[in-house]
Amino acid sequence: MNTVLTKTQLKKLGTSTDEILNLLKSNAFVQMQKYKAKIMPFEKKYGMPFSQFKQKLEVAQEENFQEADDFILWEGFYEAYELWYKKYIALQQYA
């Protein structure tokens, strides 16, 4: 269900658009931190950021299954972090 509330309807609920924006920004920030916390163990384990690890795997002569498994997880966490980061930055424009 896609519901759009007007400013008048929000006022009737006792909520302002600023409060809604602050909640959205707060949620985006929390999600960013959640995924950053999932990324950090991989950065520590391999001593490099995701972009370097990806390059390392692309040029590797032999496949390391542990690294390949880690890559799949790390990539998912990295992409989720990037998604929430972009949302957070977009919401900052409305501050």
Side-chain angles (χ1 to χ4, degrees):
M1 182 170 139
N2 191 5
T3 304
V4 176
L5 297 174
T6 64
K7 287 185 179 185
T8 304
Q9 290 169 319
L10 287 172
K11 279 186 180 180
K12 286 181 184 177
L13 293 171
T15 305
S16 71
T17 52
D18 287 342
E19 288 174 308
I20 299 291
L21 283 171
N22 285 335
L23 285 170
L24 291 171
K25 284 190 282 189
S26 178
N27 181 59
F29 185 78
V30 167
Q31 293 300 322
M32 283 171 42
Q33 296 308 308
K34 177 177 83 173
Y35 287 108
K36 184 64 176 171
K38 292 178 182 270
I39 289 168
M40 289 177 69
F42 291 108
E43 290 178 343
K44 184 176 180 181
K45 180 177 180 178
Y46 292 103
M48 63 186 75
F50 176 74
S51 58
Q52 286 181 345
F53 185 71
K54 183 176 180 180
Q55 289 175 347
K56 176 186 171 218
L57 289 186
E58 288 172 352
V59 298
Q61 298 297 319
E62 294 182 24
E63 184 173 9
N64 177 314
F65 292 111
Q66 179 62 55
E67 288 182 352
D69 287 347
D70 285 348
F71 173 80
I72 292 167
L73 290 172
W74 196 353
E75 182 178 44
F77 297 147
Y78 179 80
E79 288 178 358
Y81 173 84
E82 289 287 308
L83 174 74
W84 284 107
Y85 176 78
K86 288 175 185 174
K87 288 181 181 186
Y88 181 76
I89 295 302
L91 288 164
Q92 290 290 72
Q93 297 176 43
Y94 300 104

